Amino acid sequence: MKRNYPFALAISLFIYSATAHSEAILHAFNWPYQLVEARAEHIAEAGYKKVLVAPAMKSSGTEWWARYQPQDLRVIDSPLGNKQDFQAMIAALGQHGVAVYADVVLNHMANESGLRDDLNYPSAQVLEHYAQNQEAFEQQTLFGQLSQHLFSSMDFHPEGCITQWHDPGHVQYWRLCGGEGDVGLPDLDPNQWVVEQQRAYLSALKVMGVKGFRVDAVKHMSMYHINQVFTDAIREGMHIFGEVITSGGAGDQSYEAFLLPYLQQTTHSAYDFPLFSQIRRAFSFQGSLTQLHHPESVGQALDKHRAITFTITHDIPTNDGFRYQIMDPTDEALAYAYILGKDGGSPLIYSDELSAGEDKDNGRWQGVWKQPAMKAMLRFHNAMHGKPMTVIGSTQCLLLFKRDQAGIVAINKCDEPQSYTMDTREYPLNWYRPYYDVLSDATTTIASDFHTITIPARSAQMYMH
């Protein structure tokens, strides 16, 4: 009998990859590396399999946004930690089976126009600091020689701010600028030298043990730049995803101009902004949960193998222009039950460590990662890996679906209890075996063809054996 081992291996690797990429990611936003290390055991016990951490590079300033203004890619040195802290964090998480994903900034360098006129990165002042502390910075070096600048004026696009936000050429060639008079973030040109340095940077992080990359500001990078940097060798064994903000899915101008080309011309995953837009509409006062019945089938959600699902990103609470997207706390919790209960996508759970001066929401997201309800939903999510999803029914108030015969998810967004009678012949479930709700410890046992469950107002139930 002929055994096709390569084919069987390919199938098993695909199944492993699909499962691995559906595991929940904790976005430890603005957490010091030592804090992530200290919480490693608790992170694993909570049910997370991946942790996305702050950009690992040379940056200065205590503000959260300063982490996204690189001064040097060759060195890990910021207020959140250095290379030793980063390596110790990887090791500690690895001991508990948790992988590290790195946030990487490849589009631009820091706006230092208030300090100097040149475009040499790092600055002469930083190079002098390296020289005066040579032994210490040798330990923080990822690659290259720190006696010379990494980039010069020849490595950047001409100065000029983005003004035509629907034009990919303008968005990808000109600078991200702030208020009036701001000259913006120097935008890197994908010449051979820049590409080689960025490849070296990603390769060095990979050697340290990083298992995934979030590509910051990827909307502002050309497809040529992205595909030149992310070689086959760098992509191998890595989970890579970018943030391309859109107002919706198929038919939306921003989706067609930016996210669709990114998905078509790379193998990366992406933030599922189409689904997020659909979630916000569904949970709005006049919205209906029928909008979450099969959003992927109408182009309002990404393919489940490439989607990074979420209910909030770090940009939403920290940038005034996005704060209108913050959901009601109860709706956000119900939306988490949806993305952690459904099949497909890698759920991204945002939990920040912002300073008191930067936190505009009084610590609302600081402890989300360890809340009892979140840990319960993660337990359900992890138990349902690989189990197909079937939507049983949906109304304006209610969404009900099952995960094979192992789990049932029911979400009620309205202010009154909702009941639904399931046809357990049409939608098979296990009889005479109690299902328990991980969110309340309530139980339900199916013993007839038609089984009714009642979901209290503004709540979710996630039943499993």
Side-chain angles (χ1 to χ4, degrees):
M1 177 180 175
K2 183 178 179 181
R3 291 177 172 83
N4 195 340
Y5 290 118
F7 177 76
L9 177 61
I11 292 296
S12 64
L13 288 175
F14 172 79
I15 294 171
Y16 168 78
S17 175
T19 300
H21 287 184
S22 67
E23 292 172 337
I25 308 166
L26 167 59
H27 189 181
F29 182 72
N30 212 47
W31 293 25
Y33 302 141
Q34 289 185 355
L35 180 60
V36 181
E37 178 191 358
R39 292 175 173 174
E41 182 177 359
H42 298 296
I43 289 169
E45 288 176 348
Y48 299 97
K49 305 298 183 182
K50 331 281 184 186
V51 179
L52 172 62
V53 299
M57 63 199 183
K58 173 69 175 171
S59 64
S60 302
T62 58
E63 305 89 344
W64 72 264
W65 48 262
R67 305 289 71 77
Y68 294 86
Q69 297 205 15
Q71 295 173 291
D72 196 346
L73 299 181
R74 299 171 298 187
V75 170
I76 301 180
D77 178 47
S78 82
L80 297 183
N82 59 26
K83 183 183 176 184
Q84 281 69 52
D85 299 326
F86 195 77
Q87 189 71 77
M89 175 190 67
I90 292 174
L93 288 167
Q95 289 177 355
H96 297 283
V98 180
V100 170
Y101 285 14
D103 206 343
V104 296
V105 185
L106 305 176
N107 174 68
H108 56 261
M109 300 299 285
N111 181 353
E112 298 188 338
S113 58
L115 302 175
R116 55 197 178 91
D117 295 327
D118 64 76
L119 286 176
N120 293 321
Y121 286 87
S123 66
Q125 183 180 8
V126 172
L127 285 183
E128 179 62 24
H129 184 57
Y130 289 165
Q132 292 174 356
N133 301 274
Q134 185 173 353
E135 184 176 347
F137 276 99
E138 283 179 356
Q139 297 179 38
Q140 315 311 329
T141 302
L142 287 169
F143 70 98
Q145 300 296 321
L146 302 186
S147 59
Q148 301 293 325
H149 300 293
L150 177 64
F151 299 131
S152 69
S153 60
M154 298 178 63
D155 298 313
F156 295 91
H157 292 142
E159 183 178 325
C161 297
I162 300 169
T163 57
Q164 300 174 35
W165 288 91
H166 295 296
D167 179 354
H170 217 260
V171 169
Q172 294 166 5
Y173 189 83
W174 298 105
R175 293 183 178 186
L176 282 160
C177 298
E180 186 176 350
D182 178 35
V183 299
L185 299 164
D187 200 72
L188 283 162
D189 178 84
N191 62 40
Q192 184 176 351
W193 173 257
V194 169
V195 167
E196 287 176 353
Q197 305 317 299
Q198 292 181 337
R199 287 175 181 170
Y201 170 63
L202 297 177
S203 297
L205 292 177
K206 187 173 179 179
V207 168
M208 288 186 72
V210 169
K211 298 299 183 184
F213 295 123
R214 172 196 180 271
V215 192
D216 182 67
V218 74
K219 178 179 182 177
H220 301 277
M221 298 172 65
S222 68
M223 293 302 110
Y224 171 80
H225 190 174
I226 294 165
N227 286 320
Q228 284 295 301
V229 171
F230 288 94
T231 62
D232 291 345
I234 290 173
R235 293 200 315 271
E236 184 179 4
M238 302 293 283
H239 189 189
I240 302 168
F241 58 94
E243 182 185 45
V244 181
I245 299 174
T246 72
S247 302
D252 176 78
Q253 184 178 15
S254 55
Y255 171 84
E256 303 291 344
F258 296 101
L259 183 50
L260 184 59
Y262 180 66
L263 294 169
Q264 290 176 333
Q265 298 178 46
T266 76
T267 59
H268 304 184
S269 297
Y271 279 71
D272 199 342
F273 274 95
L275 180 61
F276 177 58
S277 179
Q278 197 78 340
I279 287 171
R280 289 180 57 244
R281 284 194 288 266
F283 280 98
S284 68
F285 182 73
Q286 294 182 328
S288 170
L289 291 188
T290 58
Q291 293 173 281
L292 299 179
H293 197 107
H294 284 302
E296 185 179 329
S297 67
V298 291
Q300 300 308 309
L302 301 188
D303 179 273
K304 67 179 184 179
H305 299 300
R306 299 180 71 181
I308 305 296
T309 56
F310 60 91
T311 69
I312 189 164
T313 73
H314 77 267
D315 280 317
I316 293 171
T318 56
N319 289 287
D320 289 342
F322 294 127
R323 286 183 60 83
Y324 73 93
Q325 297 180 336
I326 295 175
M327 298 178 70
D328 170 87
T330 300
D331 288 335
E332 184 178 297
L334 297 178
Y336 267 126
Y338 172 65
I339 67 169
L340 286 163
K342 70 186 286 291
D343 177 33
S346 299
L348 185 71
I349 288 82
Y350 169 79
S351 198
D352 64 37
E353 287 289 336
L354 293 170
S355 65
E358 293 182 298
D359 190 344
K360 303 173 183 178
D361 300 281
N362 300 314
R364 172 173 163 178
W365 291 282
Q366 192 171 71
V368 166
W369 72 278
K370 61 179 180 179
Q371 290 175 351
M374 181 60 71
K375 292 196 287 186
M377 288 188 284
L378 285 166
R379 184 164 72 252
F380 181 93
H381 176 78
N382 291 336
M384 297 297 142
H385 280 317
K387 302 186 188 307
M389 170 182 169
T390 303
V391 177
I392 298 173
S394 61
T395 66
Q396 180 178 3
C397 292
L398 181 69
L399 178 67
L400 182 69
F401 58 88
K402 73 187 189 83
R403 299 295 303 275
D404 197 17
Q405 296 180 204
I408 307 166
V409 177
I411 300 170
N412 174 14
K413 77 165 191 172
C414 290
D415 291 328
E416 302 84 24
Q418 301 289 318
S419 295
Y420 194 95
T421 300
M422 300 180 289
D423 182 340
T424 64
R425 295 294 185 185
E426 182 178 359
Y427 301 102
L429 291 162
N430 292 325
W431 287 28
Y432 307 117
R433 290 184 59 193
Y435 289 88
Y436 79 95
D437 175 20
V438 298
L439 294 172
S440 71
D441 289 332
T443 62
T444 187
T445 302
I446 297 168
S448 65
D449 289 348
F450 297 96
H451 183 78
T452 300
I453 60 172
T454 299
I455 306 93
R458 306 282 286 149
S459 71
Q461 295 173 336
M462 304 177 81
Y463 288 101
M464 59 185 282
H465 290 306

